[in-house]
Amino acid sequence: MQPQDDRPLLFVNARLVCPASGRDEIGSLLVAEGVIAELGAKVPPTARAETVDCRGHVLAPGLVDLGAFVGEPGAEHRETIETASRAAAVGGVTTIVARPDTTPPVDAPEIVDYLMRRARDTASVHVYPMAALTKGLAGAEMTEVGLLLEAGAVAFTDGPRSVASSRVMRRAMTYARDFDALICHHVEDADLAAGGAMNEGELASRLGLPGRPVAAEALMLERDLRLAALTGARYHASLVSSAESVGLIARAKAAGTRVTCGASVAHLTLNENDVGEYRTFFKLTPPLRHEDDRRALVEALADGVIDVVCSAHDPQDVETKRRPFAEAEDGAIGIETMLAAGLRLVHAGDVSLHRLLAAMSTNPAKLLGLPAGALTVGAPADLILFDPDAPWVLEAARLKSKSKNTPFDQARLQGRVWRTVVAGRTVYPYA
Amino acid sequence: MSTPSEPAPFAFPHRHLLGIEGLSAAEIEGLLAAAEDAVALSRQVEKKRTTLRGRTQVNLFFENSTRTQSSFEIAGKRLGADVMNMSVGNSSMKKGETVLDTAATLNAMRPDIIVVRHHAAGAVALLAQKVDCSVVNAGDGAHEHPTQALLDALTILRAKGRIAGLVVAICGDVLHSRVARSNIILLNALGAQVRVVAPSTLLPTGIERLGVEVFRTMREGLAGADVVMMLRLQLERMNGSFVPSVKEYFKHFGLDGAKLAYARPDAVVMHPGPMNRGVEIASEVADGPQSLIRDQVEMGVAVRMAVLETLARHLPNA
């Protein structure tokens, strides 16, 4: 981080958009000592303050990205906390919630502690670790939920793995419930989806690729929803990708079960046809689905059935992607593009700006108990200033991530972040 | 010390002692009073009575337990019975023979009392149906361990002078514990206020309907408690299956001085043994001034004498 003076920062002529309160008005916002000191239509000028003329652009809470892979420890050739946080700053993400499926996995308090110290020393945005739900991500024995929470873990997940044993999952949920800990689960019956390379269906058949059926996701999700009802645990389905899944979540919510779900920007904006001629940058977990599924996800986001929109940031180096489709690694980067790509839904008129920003900031912050996602006096000044309409063309080579496996290379996007502020300090553009 | 008299007879219309469930408060109190006499007897030089002279007592243990088995053995011998120990856990009977076959074989040897420990809930009652003698349940699975509950009650009674109105917190692996179940029933019958304190993974479904208040932290569960009863956590349940680790379990549920301070200053600490020091209980507490753990062992013999004597009243030719 660059040294900066500690002068107050006054944003004037800003379109203040707070998805938590519904505020949407032209006004000013004063940042002092790292927190939001004042905001509203009229904020008296402060003598010492550095003034930023927002020219009517949107000033909103910084984004909270639930479930990004940051490479540390063990995969520093793909990403580091430093590079991920630089990408985040450019993309308007002020809080990264890191996945624990690292090497070694984050399944012990010492590793949480290590990550917190690495983040303190190298990150320009907030980085909070999630911890493994089971030891070694092996799906057999629960981790030290109490000690991990104390060390700073904000949620529990086995990353891209599902806990196959219903008995283990039940016990982990029962135990986590006592601590009111959030469990984020990848929902796919790995056995049923084994060997699959893309969404099962006509296209996979034409391409001669083995499929991963929607039913594999529905099976695991339905089991989890029953266990959530049985145990009373706080449960979040990390990434849903199909119409069937959002239907299941909607029913569980209507029945009063404490469940939430998320979807990635890629699954909301792309479909299986993008795989085209075996383009491995579109090979994801879960796989991109049929256009009908994508439409159902967008509708579910608009209706509030989908609570969280995330990047599912998964940096892969070129070698693991330049392979025959079925052998290539899954995953795409996305932290730097989540806002701009997500805004496609707003420009298309499918989702309101408030709804999108809530799913990218307010809702994940609330789930994790983080002081973010709202423009409130006294809250940490994690802010983004962006022009939702500015057009640009994405060039993968210019992305800050250490890996460049974006599905949006050469995409025409609308919406650019002009400034990102974390705890009152400007982290982008780099001062 | 005066010479203890024969215990005052009280109504006990049961051939077996299979559980605390089904006993009336008067019957429990009768057994405890009889056990008081046995305590006095056991503290004399001459510890023997002749109540069971000529009787044969078989200790049939399908699950090894040195402590309980020796306690029953001493109890039987002090009453003059011929005691035989059968540890089926390491005999040929383990290989294929059913509980009922074992019962039939044993019955043919004409014992008067069989003391049975079995790893399966309900197995002792099943065996009791097939024999002509009295049967004492020395623990069946996670179901009941009636003599443990009686000895715990006697220990509390002697320390506190009463049971009614006391707040008793039973802490730890309630899910797998026959000790917890028998104690919950007995303490409720005698008017105590019973709590269980454990992580949710170690609590059986619907436990609150057994007449207990449920707590998931020691701070809340021990607040104002008169008696803190710790349960043993089996090794195979420690590492990730029911609780994440010994370290985490001890931190949240292990009884150390700091957690004991939540209870009343005159609270007593109990444990059915054998203890896992540093898992469910710290040595400072186990060996501390509030601990009644050694007393429990002594009361165990007395209570078992009382039970054997009481059941012997109904034996043929008694």
Side-chain angles (χ1 to χ4, degrees):
Chain A
M1 231 185 288
Q2 312 294 321
Q4 291 179 16
D5 59 36
D6 288 332
R7 280 202 298 163
L9 199 52
L10 179 63
F11 293 92
V12 298
N13 195 21
R15 180 182 164 196
L16 301 172
V17 174
C18 175
S21 66
R23 178 198 291 268
D24 190 346
E25 60 173 355
I26 298 293
S28 306
L29 184 146
L30 178 69
V31 172
E33 288 168 8
V35 300
I36 298 171
E38 247 181 291
L39 80 159
K42 291 266 178 290
V43 172
T46 308
R48 287 175 53 250
E50 175 197 344
T51 304
V52 179
D53 181 0
C54 302
R55 293 181 293 167
H57 293 151
V58 174
L59 187 65
L63 307 185
V64 178
D65 189 15
L66 177 50
F69 185 84
V70 297
E72 292 186 49
E76 288 83 356
H77 60 294
R78 284 160 60 194
E79 193 76 286
T80 63
I81 289 175
E82 187 186 356
T83 53
S85 76
R86 286 171 73 91
V90 177
V93 174
T94 52
T95 299
I96 297 174
V97 182
R99 262 165 46 182
D101 50 310
T102 47
T103 314
V106 187
D107 63 357
E110 307 81 67
I111 307 173
V112 171
D113 187 60
Y114 166 79
L115 281 174
M116 307 269 286
R117 281 185 285 111
R118 285 290 294 164
R120 180 197 63 200
D121 294 344
T122 67
S124 49
V125 302
H126 304 294
V127 178
Y128 294 99
M130 288 195 279
L133 181 59
T134 63
K135 291 174 187 167
L137 310 171
E141 297 170 346
M142 67 173 96
T143 51
E144 297 172 318
V145 170
L147 299 175
L148 287 161
L149 281 173
E150 212 164 87
V154 294
F156 295 83
T157 179
D158 274 359
R161 297 194 200 185
S162 300
V163 175
S165 161
S166 305
R167 178 175 42 85
V168 170
M169 189 64 176
R170 184 213 178 154
R171 287 213 193 111
M173 287 170 99
T174 301
Y175 192 80
R177 195 262 322 267
D178 287 355
F179 294 90
D180 203 34
L182 179 69
I183 290 180
C184 302
H185 200 224
H186 178 71
V187 282
E188 186 170 62
D189 184 319
D191 193 44
L192 185 56
M198 68 174 292
N199 185 39
E200 185 171 297
E202 184 194 333
L203 193 60
S205 299
R206 284 179 189 281
L207 291 171
L209 290 171
R212 292 163 76 169
V214 163
E217 182 170 303
L219 268 178
M220 185 58 75
L221 180 60
E222 193 148 19
R223 179 204 75 173
D224 284 359
L225 295 174
R226 281 171 189 271
L227 292 179
L230 178 65
T231 60
R234 279 212 296 144
Y235 173 85
H236 177 76
S238 301
L239 295 168
V240 294
S241 67
S242 68
E244 197 166 346
S245 293
V246 292
L248 291 170
I249 294 278
R251 275 208 293 286
K253 284 184 171 181
T257 313
R258 290 208 297 173
V259 298
T260 51
C261 73
S264 86
V265 172
H267 290 90
L268 286 160
T269 57
L270 306 170
N271 66 32
E272 60 179 355
N273 295 317
D274 289 297
V275 168
E277 291 297 307
Y278 308 99
R279 295 159 73 192
T280 58
F281 282 15
F282 294 84
K283 185 171 190 250
L284 309 178
T285 292
L288 291 171
R289 304 282 187 195
H290 196 271
E291 173 64 8
D292 291 346
D293 290 308
R294 187 194 73 83
R295 281 174 185 280
L297 292 183
V298 173
E299 208 171 291
L301 173 61
D303 294 345
V305 173
I306 289 177
D307 308 88
V308 173
V309 172
C310 61
S311 72
H313 186 72
D314 193 357
Q316 297 290 345
D317 73 51
V318 178
E319 290 317 304
T320 59
K321 278 290 188 185
R322 270 193 200 143
R323 284 184 182 177
F325 194 88
E327 294 164 24
E329 284 289 336
D330 294 349
I333 56 168
I335 205 164
E336 197 168 333
T337 49
M338 71 182 280
L339 179 60
L343 282 168
R344 281 182 168 182
L345 305 174
V346 177
H347 295 306
D350 292 331
V351 175
S352 72
L353 180 63
H354 276 261
R355 181 67 84 177
L356 181 72
L357 292 177
M360 289 184 170
S361 60
T362 314
N363 297 349
K366 215 179 275 175
L367 275 182
L368 299 163
L370 300 176
L375 297 183
T376 327
V377 171
D382 296 341
L383 302 167
I384 50 173
L385 174 63
F386 68 97
D387 175 357
D389 299 314
W392 58 297
V393 176
L394 186 126
E395 284 175 53
R398 300 185 62 166
L399 292 173
K400 303 293 177 200
S401 238
K402 212 163 184 176
S403 301
K404 312 295 181 193
N405 55 312
T406 174
F408 295 108
D409 191 24
Q410 299 305 314
R412 282 157 182 78
L413 297 170
Q414 242 185 302
R416 260 213 124 143
V417 176
W418 296 132
R419 193 174 187 119
T420 302
V421 175
V422 174
R425 299 172 74 92
T426 298
V427 296
Y428 173 79
Y430 310 107
Chain B
M1 195 182 288
S2 65
T3 307
S5 55
E6 292 288 312
F10 60 98
F12 195 83
H14 310 281
R15 178 151 71 102
H16 309 300
L17 179 68
L18 299 178
I20 299 296
E21 182 89 69
L23 297 187
S24 68
E27 288 160 3
I28 293 167
E29 280 160 0
L31 287 172
L32 294 177
E36 278 284 5
D37 287 320
V39 175
L41 177 70
S42 294
R43 288 182 177 181
Q44 298 177 164
V45 176
E46 172 56 57
K47 298 178 177 62
K48 294 201 76 150
R49 246 184 220 155
T50 55
T51 334
L52 295 190
R53 183 190 288 165
R55 300 290 187 188
T56 302
Q57 172 191 337
V58 178
N59 294 335
L60 178 61
F61 277 60
F62 291 90
E63 195 179 73
N64 290 330
S65 170
T66 313
R67 303 162 63 97
T68 308
Q69 187 170 310
S70 12
S71 182
F72 270 107
E73 183 176 353
I74 290 174
K77 284 180 171 163
R78 284 193 184 154
L79 297 172
D82 294 315
V83 183
M84 185 188 66
N85 290 319
M86 289 180 67
S87 289
V88 188
N90 44 26
S91 91
S92 63
M93 276 190 193
K94 202 180 178 183
K95 297 168 190 157
E97 195 175 73
T98 66
V99 174
L100 292 183
D101 288 341
T102 308
T105 307
L106 210 54
N107 194 49
M109 300 179 197
R110 302 208 165 273
D112 297 289
I113 296 178
I114 308 181
V115 176
V116 189
R117 154 85 48 107
H118 197 281
H119 52 81
V124 178
L126 181 67
L127 187 142
Q129 293 167 12
K130 300 294 171 189
V131 294
D132 301 316
C133 61
S134 288
V135 173
V136 179
N137 182 359
D140 63 325
H143 178 224
E144 281 234 42
H145 191 355
T147 55
Q148 179 72 43
L150 288 165
L151 76 87
D152 287 341
L154 183 60
T155 308
I156 296 171
L157 199 55
R158 289 172 63 96
K160 294 289 184 186
R162 67 188 168 110
I163 286 177
L166 293 180
V167 176
V168 182
I170 302 175
C171 311
D173 188 359
V174 178
L175 178 63
H176 301 99
S177 178
R178 51 190 168 226
V179 176
R181 281 172 182 71
S182 289
N183 264 307
I184 289 169
I185 301 164
L186 187 151
L187 292 167
N188 267 306
L190 297 192
Q193 195 185 325
V194 187
R195 300 172 176 179
V196 293
V197 191
S200 292
T201 42
L202 294 178
L203 289 170
T205 306
I207 181 76
E208 62 284 349
R209 289 198 288 277
L210 269 59
V212 296
E213 271 186 283
V214 180
F215 295 88
R216 288 173 176 91
T217 67
M218 293 290 267
R219 179 190 285 271
E220 295 168 298
L222 295 199
D226 297 288
V227 178
V228 182
M229 208 179 262
M230 301 308 297
L231 298 174
R232 175 177 168 80
L233 183 66
Q234 301 279 0
L235 188 67
E236 65 271 21
R237 293 170 188 143
M238 287 177 203
N239 291 314
S241 56
F242 289 87
V243 295
S245 67
V246 168
K247 190 172 152 199
E248 174 148 331
Y249 186 75
F250 184 73
K251 183 179 161 71
H252 293 289
F253 293 97
L255 187 67
D256 53 15
K259 292 197 197 74
L260 183 55
Y262 300 137
R264 286 174 53 96
D266 61 348
V268 294
V269 175
M270 299 168 71
H271 191 297
M275 288 182 280
N276 291 307
R277 291 170 186 264
V279 178
E280 69 262 357
I281 193 163
S283 288
E284 55 168 339
V285 172
D287 306 328
Q290 288 165 270
S291 170
L292 295 181
I293 296 169
R294 300 281 164 252
D295 304 62
Q296 286 175 274
V297 179
E298 183 187 357
M299 295 310 126
V301 175
V303 153
R304 283 157 189 142
M305 288 171 71
V307 166
L308 294 171
E309 252 178 348
T310 305
L311 290 179
R313 285 198 237 146
H314 301 302
L315 290 175
N317 314 319

